[in-house]
Amino acid sequence: MEATSSPTRTNSNNTAFSLISRGWKEVRDSADADLQLMRARANSFKNLANSFDREIENFFNSTSIASFSVPTPLKSSTSPKEIDFVKKLQPKISEIRRVYSAPEISKKVLEKWGPRAKSGIDLSAIKNAIVAEGEAEERGGLVGFDRRRKVGFREFWGEGKEEGGGQFGEWEPIRVLKRRLKELEKKSEFGEIFGGFKNSEFVEKLKSSLKAIRKEPQESKEVQPLDVTELLAYLVRQSEPFLDQIGVRKDVCDKIVGGLCRKHKKQFLLPSLSSGKSTLLDENANDELDLRIASVLQSTGHCYDGGFWTDRSKHHPSDGKRHVAIVTTASLPWMTGTAVNPLFRAAYLAKSERQNVTLLVPWLCKSEQELVYPNNLTFTSPEEQENYIRNWLEERVGFKADFKISFYPGKFSKERRSIIPAGDTSQFVPSKDADIAILEEPEHLNWYHHGKRWTDKFNHVVGVVHTNYLEYIKREKNGALQAFLVKHINNLVTRAYCHKVLRLSAATQDLPKSVICNVHGVNPKFLKIGEKVAAERELGQQAFSKGAYFLGKMVWAKGYKELIDLLAKHKNELDGFKLDVFGNGEDANEVQNTVKRLDLNLNFLKGRDHADDSLHGYKVFINPSISDVLCTATAEALAMGKFVVCADHPSNEYFRSFPNCLTYKTSEDFVARVKEALANEPQPLTPEQRYNLSWEAATQRFMQYSELDKILDSENDVVNLSKSNGKSISKAVSMPNLSEMVDGGLAFAHYCLTGNEFLRLCTGAIPGTRDYDKQHCKDLHLLPPQVENPIYGWHCLFGLNVAAEAF
């Protein structure tokens, strides 16, 4: 049977091809004959139009002759109204003649009356026949397949209808094609029964290709409208910023959305996603509910152009370079983290020369400088302080950093022990440079910010959280209530004024739009000290000649309470242990009196730079603080090759990978780690570990996690920062985003609250900080705020008088 099946299959294929070729030849010949006949009819119609044109011309000529050369008696029989009618009719007839005598008349006639309008094939009937065939193969085998296939072809060719009632009943070529395909069908049936195979390869390929027609275009499918539960789910999802402000956690919102959408889950996925093509949605969009909403918007053709508070007219760099403004809350010579780290960030961002950098630091009047800066160091002008900052920086980084330093008015708060901006800080960045903003301590900068919204003025705003304010506030009177209020205020200002928030560690509160990443490095000088120590140890020299020390600002929250508690509890176990303490601060007298009362072996020394030569010989740095977010002194001690004994706390998570970092969970562990560090020598740092501590690595991490590298490399619109080449459009531009509207509403509410002096004072603001004062105008050469922001026309005149008095 196998030997005879192959010849039979070949004969069947040859017969099928011969039948089809002969049928198509007859169809082509018949169609050519019909087309020639139609061309002849079109030419005859054209000749008829020309004949009609000649008759009209003869009529006009005869009319003209009759009006001028006929005898007088006949003239009386032709009225002037008839002659005027002919004259009016003449241009109309000429236009008709010009149109129907055009060369395109034949083409138009063929398009209108030719057989092409009826020469289409009803592919839906073929589709139904093939689908029925596939179902029959699965259920009924060969007999069911034959019966359903015949029914399908009959349905396709319209058999059983009245003569002329079919789609192709009046055109002879189609009837010939039908007859030939029926003969092919009979031959195929004969081969299936006697040839030992189910169908010829040719027919199988033909059917498989026609089955592809079964899939309808995605554009033709109707998208079901949204129902009530989907609208409620989307409303809850978009209201998460507002619900978070009133204490409803994000996981609770997710559960509510999941419950509302459970029964619609199968409808959420867009069919268009299976083809890998999306003209409306962002490529990274994976939220099923958002996809469902966007699919409905796409089906309606809706395009969202922006929210009520959206500002599309932002800075567009014209010189080919972007501008980065770094705004911080402290400045040298105040040796605090928010003064040192932003300074290094500005230097290393400017080093790449990819963007222009401006560092904004607060300017304190001379009376307040004496309260903040160490060693009674003061400056009479911003230029003098700028020179001090640049000299200090160049001495440590080893290169001249090309960036601009600007000053904004600030006032020192004794209660908060921090500098609070006075006036609108954003106005000290010119509009031409308002491109990218980096807010160091964004919550601190915006607690009492009463001015333009940062996200409205800048294209991209990144916040870097330095301080765990909640931990400090909990230690104060009524700390729990104050911490609750500050937590929600921090949520509000970071959500309203930042596009992205970077948290140095998990020790800070969980802020909106935030990610955790250490974007700080250490002073290159500390890495050089560590290299020097490693070289001395390789030569067999003693690198460390002293024991343990602690360095930090002498306030209780900086770890002094934890340190005293540990040493007092294990005074006997640590008998003979001596600790040198370096620091100055507001709580110095209380700390020293407590240590004297408990008779602890602590030696207090004045605060100094951690890179001071007197500190190089210490082998162990002890830091029990749990209020820090990421202790800079810990990183510096590791860079110098020392042991570090610190608490097992989220603020120290980044340092755990270093072998010289010894963490403890209990007070007993603390004692064990101290003894271990004193009895052993620290391991030298590897090149990879040194690089991870450097500012080069920190700047690279900052560029990545803040998405600044993508923004700087982007050549597209800096406003929406999304692809707009016709293949992908951001969801935020495609549909309304309630989250953005909530952020804008929160920013507006915050602006109104901070504009009221009474409310500002109730929340702890320094009196008169809504605007800068006369001393700031004099030191920074500023116009009075009444002139900068006039309310009424007459206010300008008043401002000019004030300006005259100030200068």
Side-chain angles (χ1 to χ4, degrees):
M1 290 297 292
E2 293 179 359
T4 59
S5 61
S6 180
T8 304
R9 185 180 304 174
T10 304
N11 294 333
S12 177
N13 289 342
N14 295 335
T15 304
F17 279 113
S18 62
L19 288 172
I20 290 179
S21 61
R22 186 170 59 186
W24 279 114
K25 183 178 180 182
E26 292 180 7
V27 170
R28 183 182 59 187
D29 296 338
S30 178
D32 292 338
D34 290 343
L35 290 175
Q36 291 178 3
L37 179 60
M38 283 185 286
R39 289 193 184 96
R41 290 179 179 176
N43 291 331
S44 64
F45 182 84
K46 182 178 179 181
N47 295 334
L48 181 62
N50 293 333
S51 177
F52 176 75
D53 184 48
R54 286 194 298 270
E55 293 294 331
I56 292 297
E57 290 181 354
N58 294 335
F59 174 73
F60 287 144
N61 295 333
S62 62
T63 303
S64 302
I65 295 173
S67 60
F68 292 104
S69 60
V70 295
T72 305
L74 293 176
K75 286 184 180 181
S76 61
S77 62
T78 305
S79 64
K81 293 183 179 181
E82 295 176 353
I83 297 175
D84 294 336
F85 169 76
V86 171
K87 290 182 179 180
K88 292 179 180 180
L89 183 63
Q90 184 175 2
K92 300 292 184 181
I93 299 300
S94 301
E95 184 177 356
I96 295 174
R97 177 189 62 188
R98 183 174 62 257
V99 171
Y100 282 92
S101 62
E104 293 83 6
I105 183 62
S106 299
K107 181 178 180 181
K108 292 181 179 180
V109 172
L110 287 175
E111 289 178 352
K112 187 172 183 180
W113 286 292
R116 189 177 305 169
K118 296 184 179 181
S119 63
I121 298 178
D122 188 4
L123 296 180
S124 62
I126 297 179
K127 176 194 69 175
N128 296 333
I130 294 173
V131 173
E133 171 192 343
E135 296 175 353
E137 289 179 355
E138 295 178 358
R139 298 194 299 267
L142 184 61
V143 177
F145 163 74
D146 294 340
R147 181 177 61 81
R148 292 182 181 275
R149 183 183 56 186
K150 293 176 183 178
V151 173
F153 275 103
R154 290 192 184 99
E155 181 184 357
F156 166 55
W157 296 118
E159 291 187 359
K161 298 180 182 179
E162 297 180 357
E163 183 68 18
Q167 186 177 358
F168 310 106
E170 296 182 355
W171 199 28
E172 181 62 25
I174 297 301
R175 287 196 296 269
V176 175
L177 180 60
K178 288 162 56 179
R179 185 172 62 255
R180 294 301 180 188
L181 287 179
K182 287 179 182 179
E183 294 177 5
L184 174 62
E185 181 184 4
K186 293 179 180 180
K187 295 289 184 181
S188 176
E189 292 174 6
F190 178 82
E192 292 172 33
I193 298 174
F194 298 99
F197 60 96
K198 192 170 184 179
N199 206 345
S200 66
E201 295 179 0
F202 170 76
V203 176
E204 287 294 337
K205 292 181 179 180
L206 176 63
K207 291 177 181 177
S208 63
S209 62
L210 292 176
K211 281 183 180 180
I213 307 174
R214 183 174 183 269
K215 187 176 181 181
E216 298 179 4
Q218 297 295 338
E219 291 78 4
S220 64
K221 290 189 175 181
E222 181 180 358
V223 179
Q224 295 296 326
L226 299 172
D227 58 18
V228 177
T229 56
E230 290 174 321
L231 291 174
L232 288 176
Y234 188 69
L235 180 62
V236 173
R237 174 66 59 83
Q238 293 294 314
S239 301
E240 285 181 2
F242 173 74
L243 296 175
D244 181 65
Q245 293 297 323
I246 61 177
V248 180
R249 300 192 307 273
K250 186 178 184 300
D251 56 346
V252 176
C253 296
D254 293 339
K255 291 180 180 179
I256 296 174
V257 173
L260 292 172
C261 299
R262 188 172 292 110
K263 67 177 183 178
H264 302 285
K265 189 174 182 180
K266 294 182 180 180
Q267 303 176 8
F268 281 160
L269 293 179
L270 291 181
S272 60
L273 295 179
S274 60
S275 62
K277 296 179 180 180
S278 176
T279 58
L280 178 66
L281 303 176
D282 189 11
E283 295 176 354
N284 296 326
N286 55 7
D287 186 270
E288 296 176 355
L289 179 59
D290 288 341
L291 295 179
R292 169 72 174 135
I293 299 294
S295 66
V296 176
L297 291 174
Q298 185 180 24
S299 66
T300 61
H302 173 75
C303 183
Y304 179 66
D305 294 328
F308 184 78
W309 288 278
T310 304
D311 183 8
R312 297 295 182 189
S313 58
K314 297 182 181 179
H315 169 76
H316 292 264
S318 57
D319 56 357
K321 293 185 69 174
R322 307 299 291 267
H323 297 263
V324 178
I326 302 176
V327 188
T328 186
T329 58
S331 175
L332 294 178
W334 191 12
M335 298 299 297
T336 185
T338 53
V340 176
N341 291 309
L343 181 60
F344 281 110
R345 195 183 328 279
Y348 281 88
L349 282 177
K351 186 179 180 181
S352 66
E353 298 182 354
R354 295 179 59 189
Q355 60 280 320
N356 297 323
V357 179
T358 300
L359 176 65
L360 271 76
V361 296
W363 167 261
L364 297 176
C365 298
K366 191 172 183 179
S367 58
E368 293 183 333
Q369 294 179 23
E370 298 173 353
L371 302 175
V372 180
Y373 300 151
N375 303 322
N376 295 324
L377 184 61
T378 58
F379 306 97
T380 58
S381 66
E383 292 78 11
E384 184 180 352
Q385 186 172 0
E386 179 179 351
N387 292 333
Y388 176 89
I389 295 173
R390 292 191 182 277
N391 293 334
W392 185 93
L393 177 65
E394 292 178 10
E395 181 182 352
R396 283 154 180 80
V397 299
F399 61 88
K400 186 174 183 179
D402 185 16
F403 65 93
K404 180 181 178 182
I405 296 179
S406 298
F407 292 84
Y408 67 86
K411 288 192 175 183
F412 180 70
S413 173
K414 295 181 181 179
E415 294 77 12
R416 297 182 183 271
R417 296 169 181 169
S418 58
I419 299 174
I420 304 297
D424 179 11
T425 309
S426 65
Q427 76 178 75
F428 294 93
V429 181
S431 298
K432 62 182 181 64
D433 296 336
D435 183 11
I436 299 170
I438 301 173
L439 305 183
E440 311 280 349
E441 290 195 324
E443 67 274 55
H444 183 164
L445 284 169
N446 294 301
W447 279 336
Y448 305 107
H449 176 75
H450 182 70
K452 192 172 182 62
R453 186 182 176 190
W454 294 95
T455 52
D456 287 344
K457 184 169 184 176
F458 292 84
N459 297 314
H460 191 62
V461 182
V462 181
V464 182
V465 179
H466 292 246
T467 308
N468 189 359
Y469 288 105
L470 300 183
E471 184 65 30
Y472 288 113
I473 293 174
K474 289 178 182 178
R475 300 169 184 264
E476 299 178 0
K477 186 178 180 180
N478 300 323
L481 177 61
Q482 294 185 53
F484 175 80
L485 297 175
V486 171
K487 175 183 177 181
H488 288 279
I489 292 175
N490 291 346
N491 277 340
L492 186 152
V493 295
T494 53
R495 182 185 297 278
Y497 296 124
C498 296
H499 292 118
K500 197 78 174 180
V501 178
L502 303 181
R503 298 160 56 199
L504 299 179
S505 71
T508 61
Q509 69 179 91
D510 187 8
L511 295 169
K513 309 175 185 178
S514 65
V515 295
I516 298 175
C517 178
N518 174 22
V519 293
H520 286 176
V522 299
N523 187 333
K525 193 171 183 178
F526 293 102
L527 293 172
K528 293 180 180 179
I529 296 173
E531 294 175 358
K532 180 182 178 182
V533 169
E536 291 176 353
R537 293 181 61 184
E538 289 181 359
L539 297 175
Q541 301 178 3
Q542 183 179 3
F544 302 109
S545 58
K546 300 179 183 179
Y549 73 106
F550 175 64
L551 180 144
K553 185 178 180 180
M554 199 168 291
V555 293
W556 286 113
K558 280 295 185 181
Y560 284 91
K561 182 179 184 302
E562 290 80 4
L563 177 63
I564 293 175
D565 290 343
L566 289 170
L567 295 179
K569 184 176 182 180
H570 297 280
K571 183 177 181 180
N572 295 330
E573 290 87 340
L574 295 174
D575 186 27
F577 173 70
K578 181 181 179 180
L579 182 67
D580 292 339
V581 178
F582 298 87
N584 303 318
E586 294 82 356
D587 298 332
N589 292 332
E590 294 182 15
V591 172
Q592 294 177 12
N593 292 335
T594 303
V595 169
K596 183 182 293 187
R597 178 172 53 83
L598 296 174
D599 192 22
L600 300 178
N601 195 6
L602 270 67
N603 181 30
F604 291 97
L605 301 169
K606 290 185 178 180
R608 61 195 66 181
D609 194 333
H610 204 177
D612 192 90
D613 295 339
S614 61
L615 300 177
H616 294 178
Y618 288 95
K619 183 173 65 172
V620 182
F621 174 70
I622 295 179
N623 182 20
S625 175
I626 57 174
S627 63
D628 290 319
V629 173
L630 187 82
C631 184
T632 304
T634 299
E636 294 170 348
L638 290 173
M640 290 188 288
K642 304 177 186 295
F643 274 124
V644 173
V645 178
C646 58
D648 187 1
H649 188 261
S651 61
N652 298 316
E653 180 68 27
Y654 180 77
F655 305 121
R656 289 178 184 173
S657 60
F658 293 87
N660 294 335
C661 180
L662 307 178
T663 60
Y664 63 90
K665 292 183 179 180
T666 63
S667 59
E668 290 76 13
D669 291 341
F670 170 76
V671 176
R673 296 295 179 267
V674 170
K675 292 181 177 181
E676 178 184 352
L678 293 175
N680 298 283
E681 291 295 324
Q683 300 180 20
L685 295 177
T686 65
E688 181 181 1
Q689 292 170 349
R690 283 197 296 270
Y691 176 76
N692 290 336
L693 290 172
S694 67
W695 265 105
E696 287 84 359
T699 304
Q700 184 179 3
R701 293 192 296 267
F702 176 81
M703 297 290 289
Q704 177 184 354
Y705 282 86
S706 67
E707 300 179 354
L708 208 60
D709 53 351
K710 298 179 181 179
I711 296 172
L712 295 177
D713 293 337
S714 175
E715 296 180 358
N716 297 329
D717 186 9
V718 295
V719 175
N720 53 32
L721 303 174
S722 64
K723 295 180 182 179
S724 57
N725 55 3
K727 296 182 179 180
S728 177
I729 301 176
S730 176
K731 282 194 308 180
V733 185
S734 304
M735 59 183 178
N737 193 327
L738 285 178
S739 179
E740 292 183 358
M741 298 181 66
V742 170
D743 293 347
L746 293 174
F748 180 74
H750 183 260
Y751 178 84
C752 295
L753 293 175
T754 55
N756 186 285
E757 185 67 18
F758 175 76
L759 294 177
R760 291 173 64 92
L761 296 177
C762 290
T763 55
I766 301 175
T769 55
R770 190 181 68 176
D771 293 312
Y772 46 84
D773 55 22
K774 293 183 178 180
Q775 188 61 43
H776 285 125
C777 294
K778 182 178 181 180
D779 294 344
L780 298 175
H781 307 290
L782 301 175
L783 293 174
Q786 295 85 355
V787 178
E788 289 283 352
N789 302 299
I791 300 178
Y792 302 105
W794 58 268
H795 214 159
C796 296
L797 298 176
F798 173 77
L800 292 177
N801 293 332
V802 175
E805 295 177 1
F807 294 99

